[in-house]
């Protein structure tokens, strides 16, 4: 009998089966591996006040569902990028960062640059990591292109999830 621990993907299980040639396999879920989540939040003028309020509410839901072992980071973007809160497990600090005013100019959107920064920051964390970007999807000022962001995410194994807001 053998016991294999976290994190196991389908590919890992198939590789183990090819090597071990077991008569059967029992897969069980134990505790979850802590998540390192970078939230990239769009504060550009094209978002509008209602979409920003919805985005902040959604970001707070993400934070409130984090476990004690999870880490979060808050990045705000418009014409520039602000790391409002570096990776921490302190939910109050993350929520305060979401609620804090930003000094960004609302007349431009560096969506790709913000996601690139979030991927870079997340890739420095150990274990399971992800980026969630909330935006209306209008980028008009980034130095990086979407292909750069995709390549960085793939190279570092950081999944990126986008949530569309606004009109």
């Amino acid at each position: 009998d053998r016991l294999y621990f976290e994190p196991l993907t389908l590919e890992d299980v198939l590789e183990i089966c090819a090597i071990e040639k077991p008569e059967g396999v029992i897969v069980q879920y134990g505790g979850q591996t802590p998540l390192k989540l970078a939230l990239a939040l769009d504060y550009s003028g094209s978002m509008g006040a209602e979409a920003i309020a919805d985005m902040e509410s959604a970001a707070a839901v993400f934070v409130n569902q984090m476990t004690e072992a999870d880490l979060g980071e808050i990045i705000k973007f418009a014409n520039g990028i602000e790391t409002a809160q570096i990776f921490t497990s302190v939910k109050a600090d993350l929520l305060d960062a979401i609620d804090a005013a930003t000094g960004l100019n609302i007349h431009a959107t560096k969506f790709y640059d913000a996601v690139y920064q979030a991927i870079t920051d997340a890739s420095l964390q150990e274990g399971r990591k992800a980026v969630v970007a909330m935006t209306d999807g209008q980028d008009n000022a980034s130095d990086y292109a979407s292909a750069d962001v995709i390549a960085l995410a793939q190279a570092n194994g950081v999944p990126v999830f986008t949530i569309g807001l606004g009109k």
Side-chain angles (χ1 to χ4, degrees):
D1 290 348
R2 301 218 187 214
L3 186 60
Y4 292 87
F5 287 91
E6 68 175 80
L8 293 176
T9 64
L10 174 61
E11 291 79 16
D12 294 328
V13 173
L14 293 174
E15 184 177 339
I16 291 167
C17 288
I19 294 168
E20 300 285 346
K21 301 190 184 346
E23 291 181 22
V25 175
I26 298 173
V27 178
Q28 287 184 285
Y29 291 99
Q32 290 290 319
T33 304
L35 176 64
K36 285 63 172 198
L37 177 67
L39 291 170
L41 309 177
D42 186 349
Y43 284 84
S44 64
S46 62
M47 285 281 289
E50 185 178 341
I52 289 173
D54 290 344
M55 174 185 68
E56 289 177 339
S57 293
V61 168
F62 272 99
V63 169
N64 284 320
Q65 292 184 1
M66 291 171 52
T67 70
E68 291 179 8
D70 295 333
L71 299 177
E73 175 184 60
I74 306 297
I75 294 176
K76 296 182 175 186
F77 65 94
N79 68 315
I81 301 164
E82 289 180 358
T83 302
Q85 177 59 59
I86 62 171
F87 277 98
T88 183
S89 62
V90 181
K91 289 182 184 183
D93 290 350
L94 293 165
L95 294 170
D96 286 347
I98 292 167
D99 291 337
T102 178
L104 295 169
N105 177 322
I106 64 170
H107 299 295
T109 308
K110 291 193 167 203
F111 172 64
Y112 298 137
D113 289 359
V115 175
Y116 195 96
Q117 182 65 51
I119 295 165
T120 300
D121 294 352
S123 69
L124 299 174
Q125 301 297 312
E126 294 293 324
R128 198 168 59 120
K129 49 202 140 221
V131 170
V132 172
M134 299 185 198
T135 182
D136 63 0
Q138 297 178 8
D139 184 304
N140 59 13
S142 284
D143 295 320
Y144 291 104
S146 61
D148 300 322
V149 174
I150 292 167
L152 184 67
Q154 290 175 335
N156 289 283
V158 178
V160 176
F161 303 94
T162 55
I163 298 174
L165 300 162
K167 297 179 180 179

